[in-house]
Amino acid sequence: MNRTTVEDLLDRVRRGDLDVADATDQLAGVVPGLDHAAERVDGIAHLDHHRALRCGFPEVVFGASKTPTDLVAIAKSILERSETLLVTRVDNQRAAALSAAFEDAEHHVRAQAVTVRRGERKPGRPGLLILTAGTGDVPVAEEARVTAELMGQAPEVVHDVGVAGLHRILGESERLKAARVVIVAAGMDGALPSVVGGLVGVPVIAVPTSVGYGMSLDGLAPMLSMMNACAPGVCVVNVDNGFGAGYLGALINGT
Amino acid sequence: MNRTTVEDLLDRVRRGDLDVADATDQLAGVVPGLDHAAERVDGIAHLDHHRALRCGFPEVVFGASKTPTDLVAIAKSILERSETLLVTRVDNQRAAALSAAFEDAEHHVRAQAVTVRRGERKPGRPGLLILTAGTGDVPVAEEARVTAELMGQAPEVVHDVGVAGLHRILGESERLKAARVVIVAAGMDGALPSVVGGLVGVPVIAVPTSVGYGMSLDGLAPMLSMMNACAPGVCVVNVDNGFGAGYLGALINGT
Amino acid sequence: MNRTTVEDLLDRVRRGDLDVADATDQLAGVVPGLDHAAERVDGIAHLDHHRALRCGFPEVVFGASKTPTDLVAIAKSILERSETLLVTRVDNQRAAALSAAFEDAEHHVRAQAVTVRRGERKPGRPGLLILTAGTGDVPVAEEARVTAELMGQAPEVVHDVGVAGLHRILGESERLKAARVVIVAAGMDGALPSVVGGLVGVPVIAVPTSVGYGMSLDGLAPMLSMMNACAPGVCVVNVDNGFGAGYLGALINGT
Amino acid sequence: MNRTTVEDLLDRVRRGDLDVADATDQLAGVVPGLDHAAERVDGIAHLDHHRALRCGFPEVVFGASKTPTDLVAIAKSILERSETLLVTRVDNQRAAALSAAFEDAEHHVRAQAVTVRRGERKPGRPGLLILTAGTGDVPVAEEARVTAELMGQAPEVVHDVGVAGLHRILGESERLKAARVVIVAAGMDGALPSVVGGLVGVPVIAVPTSVGYGMSLDGLAPMLSMMNACAPGVCVVNVDNGFGAGYLGALINGT
Amino acid sequence: MNRTTVEDLLDRVRRGDLDVADATDQLAGVVPGLDHAAERVDGIAHLDHHRALRCGFPEVVFGASKTPTDLVAIAKSILERSETLLVTRVDNQRAAALSAAFEDAEHHVRAQAVTVRRGERKPGRPGLLILTAGTGDVPVAEEARVTAELMGQAPEVVHDVGVAGLHRILGESERLKAARVVIVAAGMDGALPSVVGGLVGVPVIAVPTSVGYGMSLDGLAPMLSMMNACAPGVCVVNVDNGFGAGYLGALINGT
Amino acid sequence: MNRTTVEDLLDRVRRGDLDVADATDQLAGVVPGLDHAAERVDGIAHLDHHRALRCGFPEVVFGASKTPTDLVAIAKSILERSETLLVTRVDNQRAAALSAAFEDAEHHVRAQAVTVRRGERKPGRPGLLILTAGTGDVPVAEEARVTAELMGQAPEVVHDVGVAGLHRILGESERLKAARVVIVAAGMDGALPSVVGGLVGVPVIAVPTSVGYGMSLDGLAPMLSMMNACAPGVCVVNVDNGFGAGYLGALINGT
Amino acid sequence: MNRTTVEDLLDRVRRGDLDVADATDQLAGVVPGLDHAAERVDGIAHLDHHRALRCGFPEVVFGASKTPTDLVAIAKSILERSETLLVTRVDNQRAAALSAAFEDAEHHVRAQAVTVRRGERKPGRPGLLILTAGTGDVPVAEEARVTAELMGQAPEVVHDVGVAGLHRILGESERLKAARVVIVAAGMDGALPSVVGGLVGVPVIAVPTSVGYGMSLDGLAPMLSMMNACAPGVCVVNVDNGFGAGYLGALINGT
Amino acid sequence: MNRTTVEDLLDRVRRGDLDVADATDQLAGVVPGLDHAAERVDGIAHLDHHRALRCGFPEVVFGASKTPTDLVAIAKSILERSETLLVTRVDNQRAAALSAAFEDAEHHVRAQAVTVRRGERKPGRPGLLILTAGTGDVPVAEEARVTAELMGQAPEVVHDVGVAGLHRILGESERLKAARVVIVAAGMDGALPSVVGGLVGVPVIAVPTSVGYGMSLDGLAPMLSMMNACAPGVCVVNVDNGFGAGYLGALINGT
């Protein structure tokens, strides 16, 4: 929309050929922030309620750096306009505060997440497969699962299929064939996404985890390995970012 | 398939209830490498002709580390069984050798790639949008475009829409709305994927490029920035890995 | 001032053409430390009371590594000669000790700072705008605000305008236009300074924060991103260095 | 501007209380890209001619990654609308191409830059001081000087005043006192900005240079040192980024 | 085994020339996971009981990231099929839980390991020598010793023979001559493996430890030093990986 | 040997109970450098001819940093006392100089090595298997092969069996079963050693290679991955260190 | 000493021309470890009592990684043969244990060290000057002071003379002129050694400290800066290594 | 010197009790730069002729970054006031230019240095020992030797005594005992300084070299190893900084 098209639009308004509401709608497409349901909570957080419309998902709340009180306030504000809520990285104290405030809150212990889902639940969409290389990667994978479920997915999860015992991943060939997108959480050598990427013809989302010690460097080693995966079709999200992997997996698998 | 199911299968063969060809087919699903059209070229390269079937795309040849003669030999071997060929990272000398050997080879100068496409060409699938932050990122984006086109996509490409002049990306709102997956190539601060990720509700594939100097550290700076993109739905591939981005973009957009 | 000019000066003193006080003043300009109000507290700290004159601000005290008792002693020494005091990085225990010692001490909880301001307060100078990308960056921005206020500024502060929801920063266009210098605190991808730098024609001071996880590497990722900001007019201070940003912002905005 | 204010505006247009041109102007403030003089050169570069208005300076062209032909084309496009042009990081071949194309082009050999300045030249604004620690830092400082001059500054430049011979910087006390902003280019230990920051009460822009060997790590060592400068009022730009330092210095010193 | 050989095999089964059990055995060699004694414990861990057969050692359990309850459950599952168990990185609480559950568990305090050894114990195999550079490296060396003993070795261990007092390692010439493989644990400068590698003609397994401070960087410094050992015959395992060193040492020394 | 045992020895010499030659032999075991056939070539190199006896292999010459003339001189000195010579990292010019000087020199082009082998050749010892993940890893693997052959091994070499096409390594199960030690050269994600380590029960020597681009960081990525291999029994040598891998492989396999 | 000279020596012993004690003494010069007063404490520590003779100082005990009981045992063993003892990095609990065990133990609180000095004390040797850039560097400097005093030095210590207030170091010109060796402890930008190195003509020992935050990277930043000091005559020891600096300073200043 | 003492001095001048020349001399001690023989060459280099007096050595010229013409001009300026000149890092072209300009210039090919020494030469001072670990470290050691000789030293140099063949360094026990300071140049594992530091009781200056490949990381690996040397008395200079080592060695050994 350039100056000319805006002038045309205004001209049509002036002549009465276009009414104000319609003109406003047309401008809304190009004026950032216009009609945006941004809301401030507690003077600090800047909630983006229209994200649900624009991107198909409400704003997720990163719980680790917020006080229980703030978390509850922010959660309330979101739930006034949205039927779903996801709070990640919550310890037991924060989870308890949320559970006390919202009767229908679910605490996913392994995923360290709290969710609220209201309204009718449709059956989840199949096609998303979540794998872990070892048992230490489970929390990250669970965060991905919880996220994806909230976005309407019905993910399958298979744990502990790392490459040091190759029969474990090869034994999952049925599931691999059925998948439309695969999330792979792995620490240490980060080798599983390369192997999975060579076995499937669908997108593979690699999540490095900070599981390991010494030269795993808190997830840097598997992250680098995954960035260099010799199988194409592999992409990488941040270390321990189960939420990001689940979100992206849901976007790719669709609804 | 465990011991029991294999014994059952063999038993049925023994009894004549299952013929040998069918039994072989069933075993082929679980015996890795069985019936695999692997072929050795020149005693070294190990071509994987069934990749085309398994993953929907023939093996890509990384041209940079091979001699022109080897490249032609490998290309020949692939083209005997496949209708498409992609050779990446070819300088002019290697491109000339391939063009001399294959009449229908196309040299994509900006992408530093050579392709051969035989057989009927269907119209490409729309929905893949490729963006660059600056003009220096063009070669990487072009490698992504060439790859995606070979996989049946009809990508749109928009260059030089980096965040320092925000109107440039905001001026592409129509294309952003229409996209089903977006590839973003950016060097230096690597900030564009975060911005794009906030504007769309579809997967964003971020490709860091080695464009820049000083603390860009050959692409490490934009890579880290992209790994930490504050918009969800963003994943990252290796620095300058236009091929990987195009391949993944095609997988996500489907065929 | 070379040997000849010193000899001339002394000659004029000898001849009575220049009196001793004036000669001393002239030498004071070139003799480092001459007439310097340096003072030792507790045998260790080396206070620089003339810094207030030379650089327009008393020495700031970095609270984190000092005992409450030492802090109070140092603060006393400063307040004997100065009307303002800033102690940064103070936890609640240290803040309590300072509050107990000085009736007029203010504890800025979010900024983790304690200040004392004596004498007449003039209205602050407008023109300094402080932005944060997310709520996690607030403490760093608050340290900048407290510092700038002590230096006579009246900063505006807007939180949580990160690039993943671009309408948030675009919605602040009035404030951006009015600013004469902008401080931007951001963790994770560190992308906000690049965007702001493209929207304004004034200096942008980028402060990376250690907010984030995984590959944010305690602030290294946003720091690198900011060093490579593709908009000119952006400079960077140390990770979490709100004090440094506020101080520099005040210097640039003037008094 | 929210929905209501837009509806009001349109309503006034509809009623004839506001004419179309004025309404367009009001919208221009909030619609990014509206009425923006963006122009595409050669299908790739995306020039931003309004940057001159918005930020007070035409787009600078980074010469290193462009062919001589492209550089001339881009330069032509800029000079059609702007009276000044700056091309940085040009080798002799690129400089020759630009000099051949534009009679009034100046090649700044040490700065590796080409400039064109048309129209009346006003005397430059004093107050910007540029220092180098050693002779190896001169090219970076010269790039800063050329940039600042193009932005209406009359910078003073003093070379080779590194801290290993402290009398050199102390001998410049007159210039230091007169400065309103100081740019310091230094490689190796990057210690000069700390020292200068302690001597002046004005902003110090530190530019790490890649001068040195071994553990200077191509400028990483001085960059880290500068980020940790113990004198407040110091900020840092990218390694070897003379342009960025000069640009920021001019913004701070004003016009 | 390719399609033809599988068809031949099936054909022989069909004709009755090969019975089903034998055919299954032959297939077992090529079908990964077939007849594999993988077992799931607690829905998460994926035990690999045949590893004992395939690789000569039961799966080791990494204790650090598991709850005492999980550890006991996993240990039980392993001991149902195996005569040996090794749990590494167990603190006192975990060790107590294991000791309570298994009467014959041994807690190796320095090695932070728990073992169970059932069945007849043969005398260990000599030839493995374990050295430490300093007393801080002892826990890592002890983990190696415990591991190796469980694999049938009778290692000799000599502590505190670092290169700063060269007579200490030179005084062990008898042991060095007798060794068939040497494990060297060292932190700080990591120099001991280079020296040992020059004194012996057998494999040297270097284990960097995180002992040290400052630029030892949690074991990175000795690791890099060991990777660059100027004596051939030296290889490196992960920082603090005593288990890996002991395991590899046992493999090399044989049984 | 302490003071007492030396005094005893001398006493026995004094009494005539031990003759001088035997006493010298006994002392030779503890006096470093005694009777050592060290020799200086060209005033700089310090050849260690007894290394052949002490460690079973003559000193290898690293060709990259020496002039052709120096190389020939050093080679001559070695061949006067030894029947074998290995010069690594020789370009064509250096190789030509050596071939001209020694009729029986062999130039191994892919391995970039020159060898001389004199005396009777016994059949090599089987049991050493060398694998590469991709064709780019071949030069490193060849350096390992040449080194091992010179030490009396008969290694098997299989190229291009990286994990992205898992059937390739699974198709080598016969060779894997037969191996007593495996060398694995891999760049990029460095995942192959983890997979191989899980398939065999013998030592695996992982050699990271500098093959790759972007975040492979010249071999750092595969090196880190290999250090974190989740299969035990894996150790790592320096990036591109084919010589070290071959040497260690030969030591482990024995003679 | 080669074979011939040893044979000669033995021959003289055999003939009675040299007695056993003298021969032993002559051999002691070349047999490492012969007659070495190494002693084992608690099965682990390997004390080197002759270090006092060979290197002029008893073995220092690094307290941080040892239990109070072990520390006392080791200290006892050292004090049986030595008149001085230095235990570094001791917290209050360890210091108390040592003070309880040895009446004449001194606890240096700031230096976190315990010393015992017996025998006559001579006046210390002047010439060693110890400087700190800030108050946070005091503990490191104090460790250096305690160490040097134990080695017979009478160091002067001046704190808080960092370069941000240059008059502070310039005000110490008398002390700088008198020094024969200078130790400089500095964190953050690590700039002080460069400045000091330019002011004196004697060796400067730079000790980086882990004082700082953000990009000081636990001392990496000042360490790199010091390695690149542009003044010659500067060398560097490990981060926070006050002991090493004091030891080296004493060696250089002599006794 | 504070305000009062300056006033006293001036008063005495005023009264005629102190003459101008003497007063100037007294002030010269505190006024930095006063009477300093700084001189500018070519508008850029800032020579410091008094360095020779202050620090005992003329300014060294780093040749690598200067043109042959500039080098000759700078050299001339130095030689007008000094009897000695050292130019480091000169290639053959630069060396030829200097040799052509100064008849008495000496080109030290291995050290890549040019020197001029005029006036009477006294015999050099013994006590400085320079060691290299391998032949690749020779150029760095030679730069140290040339530097030290110019400062009046008579260094001994022993090459190729790395720790992989320990007898080589042990065979130098006579020289080690005689040394008053030892310089050790080593690349790769950087282990030699630790060993030497344990054998001598004098200062050891460790110079990491960039000799090596892979994880030597251009000298970072030996640098880190040396920073963590477990023998006290070791300090480190920059990678390949032979000049710095020689200069410091001469300062320590004295004159």
Side-chain angles (χ1 to χ4, degrees), chain D residues 164 189 194 198 215-216 225 228 230, chain G residues 164 189 194 198 215 225 228 230:
Chain D
D189 56 22
S194 279
M215 287 301 108
S216 81
S225 182
N228 290 287
C230 43
Chain G
D189 56 21
S194 278
M215 287 300 108
S225 182
N228 290 286
C230 43

mmCIF file with all atom_site columns, all heavy atoms in Angstrom, chain D residues 164 189 194 198 215-216 225 228 230, chain G residues 164 189 194 198 215 225 228 230:
data_model
loop_
_atom_site.group_PDB
_atom_site.id
_atom_site.type_symbol
_atom_site.label_atom_id
_atom_site.label_alt_id
_atom_site.label_comp_id
_atom_site.label_asym_id
_atom_site.label_entity_id
_atom_site.label_seq_id
_atom_site.pdbx_PDB_ins_code
_atom_site.Cartn_x
_atom_site.Cartn_y
_atom_site.Cartn_z
_atom_site.occupancy
_atom_site.B_iso_or_equiv
_atom_site.pdbx_formal_charge
_atom_site.auth_seq_id
_atom_site.auth_comp_id
_atom_site.auth_asym_id
_atom_site.auth_atom_id
_atom_site.pdbx_PDB_model_num
ATOM 1   N N   . ALA D 1 164 ? 51.516 2.242   26.250 1.00 0.00 ? 164 ALA D N   1
ATOM 2   C CA  . ALA D 1 164 ? 52.853 1.800   26.642 1.00 0.00 ? 164 ALA D CA  1
ATOM 3   C C   . ALA D 1 164 ? 53.799 2.985   26.792 1.00 0.00 ? 164 ALA D C   1
ATOM 4   O O   . ALA D 1 164 ? 54.824 2.885   27.454 1.00 0.00 ? 164 ALA D O   1
ATOM 5   C CB  . ALA D 1 164 ? 53.396 0.802   25.616 1.00 0.00 ? 164 ALA D CB  1
ATOM 6   N N   . ASP D 1 189 ? 46.142 -4.976  23.208 1.00 0.00 ? 189 ASP D N   1
ATOM 7   C CA  . ASP D 1 189 ? 45.531 -5.055  24.541 1.00 0.00 ? 189 ASP D CA  1
ATOM 8   C C   . ASP D 1 189 ? 44.294 -4.170  24.688 1.00 0.00 ? 189 ASP D C   1
ATOM 9   O O   . ASP D 1 189 ? 43.578 -4.291  25.690 1.00 0.00 ? 189 ASP D O   1
ATOM 10  C CB  . ASP D 1 189 ? 46.549 -4.711  25.642 1.00 0.00 ? 189 ASP D CB  1
ATOM 11  C CG  . ASP D 1 189 ? 47.195 -3.348  25.436 1.00 0.00 ? 189 ASP D CG  1
ATOM 12  O OD1 . ASP D 1 189 ? 46.611 -2.504  24.730 1.00 0.00 ? 189 ASP D OD1 1
ATOM 13  O OD2 . ASP D 1 189 ? 48.282 -3.141  25.977 1.00 0.00 ? 189 ASP D OD2 1
ATOM 14  N N   . SER D 1 194 ? 40.154 2.687   28.086 1.00 0.00 ? 194 SER D N   1
ATOM 15  C CA  . SER D 1 194 ? 40.026 2.778   29.538 1.00 0.00 ? 194 SER D CA  1
ATOM 16  C C   . SER D 1 194 ? 40.741 4.002   30.072 1.00 0.00 ? 194 SER D C   1
ATOM 17  O O   . SER D 1 194 ? 40.231 4.733   30.922 1.00 0.00 ? 194 SER D O   1
ATOM 18  C CB  . SER D 1 194 ? 40.614 1.525   30.214 1.00 0.00 ? 194 SER D CB  1
ATOM 19  O OG  . SER D 1 194 ? 39.696 0.469   30.188 1.00 0.00 ? 194 SER D OG  1
ATOM 20  N N   . GLY D 1 198 ? 39.049 7.614   31.542 1.00 0.00 ? 198 GLY D N   1
ATOM 21  C CA  . GLY D 1 198 ? 39.310 8.164   32.860 1.00 0.00 ? 198 GLY D CA  1
ATOM 22  C C   . GLY D 1 198 ? 39.776 9.608   32.820 1.00 0.00 ? 198 GLY D C   1
ATOM 23  O O   . GLY D 1 198 ? 39.785 10.295  33.834 1.00 0.00 ? 198 GLY D O   1
ATOM 24  N N   . MET D 1 215 ? 47.346 -14.218 20.499 1.00 0.00 ? 215 MET D N   1
ATOM 25  C CA  . MET D 1 215 ? 46.137 -14.152 21.297 1.00 0.00 ? 215 MET D CA  1
ATOM 26  C C   . MET D 1 215 ? 45.346 -12.856 21.115 1.00 0.00 ? 215 MET D C   1
ATOM 27  O O   . MET D 1 215 ? 44.406 -12.626 21.873 1.00 0.00 ? 215 MET D O   1
ATOM 28  C CB  . MET D 1 215 ? 46.463 -14.346 22.774 1.00 0.00 ? 215 MET D CB  1
ATOM 29  C CG  . MET D 1 215 ? 46.833 -15.763 23.143 1.00 0.00 ? 215 MET D CG  1
ATOM 30  S SD  . MET D 1 215 ? 45.517 -16.966 22.770 1.00 0.00 ? 215 MET D SD  1
ATOM 31  C CE  . MET D 1 215 ? 46.228 -17.830 21.345 1.00 0.00 ? 215 MET D CE  1
ATOM 32  N N   . SER D 1 216 ? 45.699 -11.997 20.151 1.00 0.00 ? 216 SER D N   1
ATOM 33  C CA  . SER D 1 216 ? 44.802 -10.868 19.857 1.00 0.00 ? 216 SER D CA  1
ATOM 34  C C   . SER D 1 216 ? 43.566 -11.412 19.143 1.00 0.00 ? 216 SER D C   1
ATOM 35  O O   . SER D 1 216 ? 42.533 -10.763 19.115 1.00 0.00 ? 216 SER D O   1
ATOM 36  C CB  . SER D 1 216 ? 45.490 -9.816  18.993 1.00 0.00 ? 216 SER D CB  1
ATOM 37  O OG  . SER D 1 216 ? 45.473 -10.185 17.638 1.00 0.00 ? 216 SER D OG  1
ATOM 38  N N   . SER D 1 225 ? 38.481 -6.495  26.133 1.00 0.00 ? 225 SER D N   1
ATOM 39  C CA  . SER D 1 225 ? 39.061 -5.532  27.057 1.00 0.00 ? 225 SER D CA  1
ATOM 40  C C   . SER D 1 225 ? 38.209 -4.265  27.096 1.00 0.00 ? 225 SER D C   1
ATOM 41  O O   . SER D 1 225 ? 37.898 -3.736  28.168 1.00 0.00 ? 225 SER D O   1
ATOM 42  C CB  . SER D 1 225 ? 40.492 -5.207  26.620 1.00 0.00 ? 225 SER D CB  1
ATOM 43  O OG  . SER D 1 225 ? 41.100 -4.310  27.507 1.00 0.00 ? 225 SER D OG  1
ATOM 44  N N   . ASN D 1 228 ? 35.007 -4.355  28.921 1.00 0.00 ? 228 ASN D N   1
ATOM 45  C CA  . ASN D 1 228 ? 35.220 -4.364  30.356 1.00 0.00 ? 228 ASN D CA  1
ATOM 46  C C   . ASN D 1 228 ? 35.956 -3.118  30.841 1.00 0.00 ? 228 ASN D C   1
ATOM 47  O O   . ASN D 1 228 ? 36.496 -3.124  31.949 1.00 0.00 ? 228 ASN D O   1
ATOM 48  C CB  . ASN D 1 228 ? 36.026 -5.607  30.744 1.00 0.00 ? 228 ASN D CB  1
ATOM 49  C CG  . ASN D 1 228 ? 35.231 -6.877  30.585 1.00 0.00 ? 228 ASN D CG  1
ATOM 50  O OD1 . ASN D 1 228 ? 34.352 -7.138  31.374 1.00 0.00 ? 228 ASN D OD1 1
ATOM 51  N ND2 . ASN D 1 228 ? 35.510 -7.644  29.544 1.00 0.00 ? 228 ASN D ND2 1
ATOM 52  N N   . CYS D 1 230 ? 37.189 -0.168  32.657 1.00 0.00 ? 230 CYS D N   1
ATOM 53  C CA  . CYS D 1 230 ? 36.804 0.180   34.025 1.00 0.00 ? 230 CYS D CA  1
ATOM 54  C C   . CYS D 1 230 ? 36.408 1.642   34.149 1.00 0.00 ? 230 CYS D C   1
ATOM 55  O O   . CYS D 1 230 ? 35.882 2.049   35.182 1.00 0.00 ? 230 CYS D O   1
ATOM 56  C CB  . CYS D 1 230 ? 37.883 -0.214  35.019 1.00 0.00 ? 230 CYS D CB  1
ATOM 57  S SG  . CYS D 1 230 ? 39.524 0.175   34.488 1.00 0.00 ? 230 CYS D SG  1
ATOM 58  N N   . ALA G 1 164 ? 41.624 3.806   35.153 1.00 0.00 ? 164 ALA G N   1
ATOM 59  C CA  . ALA G 1 164 ? 40.520 4.747   34.962 1.00 0.00 ? 164 ALA G CA  1
ATOM 60  C C   . ALA G 1 164 ? 40.770 6.052   35.719 1.00 0.00 ? 164 ALA G C   1
ATOM 61  O O   . ALA G 1 164 ? 40.171 7.078   35.406 1.00 0.00 ? 164 ALA G O   1
ATOM 62  C CB  . ALA G 1 164 ? 39.206 4.121   35.401 1.00 0.00 ? 164 ALA G CB  1
ATOM 63  N N   . ASP G 1 189 ? 39.264 -4.969  32.384 1.00 0.00 ? 189 ASP G N   1
ATOM 64  C CA  . ASP G 1 189 ? 39.956 -4.738  31.112 1.00 0.00 ? 189 ASP G CA  1
ATOM 65  C C   . ASP G 1 189 ? 41.420 -5.130  31.144 1.00 0.00 ? 189 ASP G C   1
ATOM 66  O O   . ASP G 1 189 ? 42.068 -5.158  30.104 1.00 0.00 ? 189 ASP G O   1
ATOM 67  C CB  . ASP G 1 189 ? 39.805 -3.272  30.668 1.00 0.00 ? 189 ASP G CB  1
ATOM 68  C CG  . ASP G 1 189 ? 40.286 -2.296  31.728 1.00 0.00 ? 189 ASP G CG  1
ATOM 69  O OD1 . ASP G 1 189 ? 41.068 -2.680  32.594 1.00 0.00 ? 189 ASP G OD1 1
ATOM 70  O OD2 . ASP G 1 189 ? 39.860 -1.144  31.686 1.00 0.00 ? 189 ASP G OD2 1
ATOM 71  N N   . SER G 1 194 ? 49.875 -3.062  31.003 1.00 0.00 ? 194 SER G N   1
ATOM 72  C CA  . SER G 1 194 ? 50.414 -2.348  29.838 1.00 0.00 ? 194 SER G CA  1
ATOM 73  C C   . SER G 1 194 ? 50.944 -0.989  30.250 1.00 0.00 ? 194 SER G C   1
ATOM 74  O O   . SER G 1 194 ? 52.014 -0.565  29.819 1.00 0.00 ? 194 SER G O   1
ATOM 75  C CB  . SER G 1 194 ? 49.314 -2.154  28.782 1.00 0.00 ? 194 SER G CB  1
ATOM 76  O OG  . SER G 1 194 ? 49.157 -3.306  28.009 1.00 0.00 ? 194 SER G OG  1
ATOM 77  N N   . GLY G 1 198 ? 54.998 0.289   30.544 1.00 0.00 ? 198 GLY G N   1
ATOM 78  C CA  . GLY G 1 198 ? 55.557 1.429   29.843 1.00 0.00 ? 198 GLY G CA  1
ATOM 79  C C   . GLY G 1 198 ? 56.251 2.411   30.771 1.00 0.00 ? 198 GLY G C   1
ATOM 80  O O   . GLY G 1 198 ? 56.999 3.275   30.319 1.00 0.00 ? 198 GLY G O   1
ATOM 81  N N   . MET G 1 215 ? 31.222 -9.864  29.979 1.00 0.00 ? 215 MET G N   1
ATOM 82  C CA  . MET G 1 215 ? 32.273 -10.264 29.061 1.00 0.00 ? 215 MET G CA  1
ATOM 83  C C   . MET G 1 215 ? 33.653 -10.323 29.696 1.00 0.00 ? 215 MET G C   1
ATOM 84  O O   . MET G 1 215 ? 34.631 -10.486 28.978 1.00 0.00 ? 215 MET G O   1
ATOM 85  C CB  . MET G 1 215 ? 32.285 -9.334  27.851 1.00 0.00 ? 215 MET G CB  1
ATOM 86  C CG  . MET G 1 215 ? 31.138 -9.540  26.899 1.00 0.00 ? 215 MET G CG  1
ATOM 87  S SD  . MET G 1 215 ? 31.071 -11.226 26.205 1.00 0.00 ? 215 MET G SD  1
ATOM 88  C CE  . MET G 1 215 ? 29.643 -11.892 27.063 1.00 0.00 ? 215 MET G CE  1
ATOM 89  N N   . SER G 1 225 ? 43.967 -9.562  27.276 1.00 0.00 ? 225 SER G N   1
ATOM 90  C CA  . SER G 1 225 ? 44.508 -8.216  27.187 1.00 0.00 ? 225 SER G CA  1
ATOM 91  C C   . SER G 1 225 ? 45.978 -8.203  27.618 1.00 0.00 ? 225 SER G C   1
ATOM 92  O O   . SER G 1 225 ? 46.841 -7.617  26.949 1.00 0.00 ? 225 SER G O   1
ATOM 93  C CB  . SER G 1 225 ? 43.680 -7.277  28.069 1.00 0.00 ? 225 SER G CB  1
ATOM 94  O OG  . SER G 1 225 ? 44.136 -5.961  27.987 1.00 0.00 ? 225 SER G OG  1
ATOM 95  N N   . ASN G 1 228 ? 48.496 -9.551  25.271 1.00 0.00 ? 228 ASN G N   1
ATOM 96  C CA  . ASN G 1 228 ? 48.733 -8.640  24.161 1.00 0.00 ? 228 ASN G CA  1
ATOM 97  C C   . ASN G 1 228 ? 49.254 -7.290  24.622 1.00 0.00 ? 228 ASN G C   1
ATOM 98  O O   . ASN G 1 228 ? 49.183 -6.323  23.867 1.00 0.00 ? 228 ASN G O   1
ATOM 99  C CB  . ASN G 1 228 ? 47.423 -8.435  23.389 1.00 0.00 ? 228 ASN G CB  1
ATOM 100 C CG  . ASN G 1 228 ? 47.011 -9.675  22.632 1.00 0.00 ? 228 ASN G CG  1
ATOM 101 O OD1 . ASN G 1 228 ? 47.613 -9.989  21.619 1.00 0.00 ? 228 ASN G OD1 1
ATOM 102 N ND2 . ASN G 1 228 ? 46.013 -10.398 23.126 1.00 0.00 ? 228 ASN G ND2 1
ATOM 103 N N   . CYS G 1 230 ? 51.007 -4.080  25.043 1.00 0.00 ? 230 CYS G N   1
ATOM 104 C CA  . CYS G 1 230 ? 51.861 -3.476  24.022 1.00 0.00 ? 230 CYS G CA  1
ATOM 105 C C   . CYS G 1 230 ? 53.189 -3.012  24.604 1.00 0.00 ? 230 CYS G C   1
ATOM 106 O O   . CYS G 1 230 ? 54.077 -2.639  23.856 1.00 0.00 ? 230 CYS G O   1
ATOM 107 C CB  . CYS G 1 230 ? 51.132 -2.370  23.274 1.00 0.00 ? 230 CYS G CB  1
ATOM 108 S SG  . CYS G 1 230 ? 50.178 -1.307  24.313 1.00 0.00 ? 230 CYS G SG  1
#
